[in-house]
Amino acid sequence: MSDLPGCHRYLNRVAPTPLVPVQLDTSLPPVWCKLEFFNPSGSTKDRIARFILEKAWRGGRVTCGSLVAEASSGSTSIALALACAQMGLKFVAVMPEGVSSERVLIIKAYGGEVRHTPKDAGIRGAIAETERLAKENGAFLPRQFANDDNADAHRFTTAREVVDVIPGGRVDAVVSGVGTGGTLVGLYLGCRDVGCAVTPVHARPVNLYGDGDAECCSFSGRIPGVVDRISTIFSEERLPGLLTVEVPDEVAMSTTRKLMKLGFPVGPSSGLNYAAAVEVLKRRGDASWQVVTVFPDRMERYFTTELFGPYV
Ligand code: PMP
């Protein structure tokens, strides 16, 4: 029996994921890519789900049969549904109507409940419903967009795993798209903790053709998981020397397809991250630079999206 919190004997540890050098352009150094799609539910969000729930368990805020609720339709709800199944907790994912059925089915398969809020109330309507569940039913809320444990999960696991295996333990830059910002802030802090002079880089997807009234380079909402200005974890003050690299969403998509052809079963945010990391290497022009990024999740979540358009 492990010392891990939870009601079930099969509770596993979230194992380290591989870090591999990937070189689509042989005239540039490789990018060091953390293969997060190997995590148990298929995304990097397993790390934050387990970290936050284990901390809550140890702090006595959840125990066998407790209710956990999160307003998310994405990878975080899937990861929480899996972690709750393993730990013996109840899970409710609250999401606006209209979310793709694959995600809903996966959450239900892990024993989670899916509750829909009106579409026009958006994510704020879903958040309000979780607040109600907390107040009336004592539900524990992980609050991924406002909880610093999200960044700590990456600081104490993802970043440590990177510096343990990268040559010389030296990381010169960390690159990530931002949803909650937990990945970028955690990777930056974790590398800095061990003495790396690391530059944080925000990979920002842009729609080069604008959104009607925007003239150029507006944020693009076409990369699932990467969202603009919601999080309170991500802030420029916490990331000194922050660089922002804009990646046209077409480039993010085509890079993702190139990575798939090399045998990496990844989703669109991996292409975004990789393309931004290559841009950092080009701008820096230093062949010894060790740039690290993550491949957050798996391609199977995107069969019905534009990513697979060329193959149907
Ligand atoms: N890629 C995917 C597929 C995601 O689901 C997310 C987060 N929801 C991100 C990237 C961004 O990661 P973070 O939330 O740590 O900023």
Side-chain angles (χ1 to χ4, degrees), residues 44-156:
T44 193
K45 295 294 180 179
D46 285 311
R47 294 180 186 274
I48 71 166
R50 280 288 290 274
F51 190 91
I52 291 172
L53 292 180
E54 286 186 14
K55 188 167 170 184
W57 185 288
R58 292 196 167 105
R61 285 178 292 154
V62 297
T63 186
C64 290
S66 293
L67 182 64
V68 175
E70 181 75 343
S72 152
S73 54
S75 307
T76 301
S77 275
I78 293 173
L80 283 167
L82 176 78
C84 286
Q86 291 198 339
M87 292 175 74
L89 306 170
K90 292 192 197 111
F91 179 60
V92 178
V94 184
M95 53 186 79
E97 287 155 340
V99 168
S100 80
S101 65
E102 287 96 330
R103 286 158 193 273
V104 171
L105 294 177
I106 295 170
I107 293 164
K108 288 186 178 169
Y110 287 133
E113 186 192 326
V114 174
R115 200 168 288 196
H116 291 289
T117 44
K119 196 172 186 172
D120 44 6
I123 190 70
R124 288 180 210 289
I127 292 171
E129 175 62 8
T130 60
E131 304 286 353
R132 194 190 63 75
L133 285 169
K135 212 163 151 195
E136 291 176 15
N137 303 53
F140 172 75
L141 308 184
R143 297 181 208 270
Q144 66 161 343
F145 284 99
N147 186 345
D148 275 339
D149 293 339
N150 171 348
D152 280 352
H154 291 287
R155 180 177 191 171
F156 298 123

Side-chain angles (χ1 to χ4, degrees), residues 178 181 184-186 188-189 200 234-243:
V178 170
L184 186 60
V185 171
Y188 168 75
L189 294 175
F234 174 75
S235 73
E236 303 206 358
E237 299 82 75
R238 299 183 77 180
L239 296 165
L242 179 71
L243 284 183

Side-chain angles (χ1 to χ4, degrees), residues 43-45 48 72 74-76 103 144-145 150-151 154 176-185 223-227 231 233-234 267-270 272-273 294-298 301-302:
S43 89
T44 193
K45 295 294 180 179
I48 71 166
S72 152
S75 307
T76 301
R103 286 158 193 273
Q144 66 161 343
F145 284 99
N150 171 348
H154 291 287
S176 181
V178 170
T180 65
T183 307
L184 186 60
V185 171
I223 311 294
V226 178
V227 292
S231 176
I233 297 169
F234 174 75
S269 59
S270 301
L272 166 75
N273 287 352
V294 291
F295 289 171
D297 73 346
R298 301 187 69 87
R301 278 177 198 174
Y302 303 97

Side-chain angles (χ1 to χ4, degrees), residues 144-221:
Q144 66 161 343
F145 284 99
N147 186 345
D148 275 339
D149 293 339
N150 171 348
D152 280 352
H154 291 287
R155 180 177 191 171
F156 298 123
T157 72
T158 325
R160 295 263 163 98
E161 292 170 25
V162 168
V163 294
D164 277 354
V165 301
I166 201 164
R170 199 194 81 238
V171 177
D172 297 302
V174 289
V175 182
S176 181
V178 170
T180 65
T183 307
L184 186 60
V185 171
L187 274 176
Y188 168 75
L189 294 175
C191 292
R192 203 201 54 184
D193 287 343
V194 295
C196 296
V198 57
T199 301
V201 182
H202 177 185
R204 197 165 182 275
V206 292
N207 175 356
L208 279 190
Y209 304 106
D211 286 319
D213 54 350
E215 277 182 4
C216 170
C217 305
S218 54
F219 180 82
S220 160

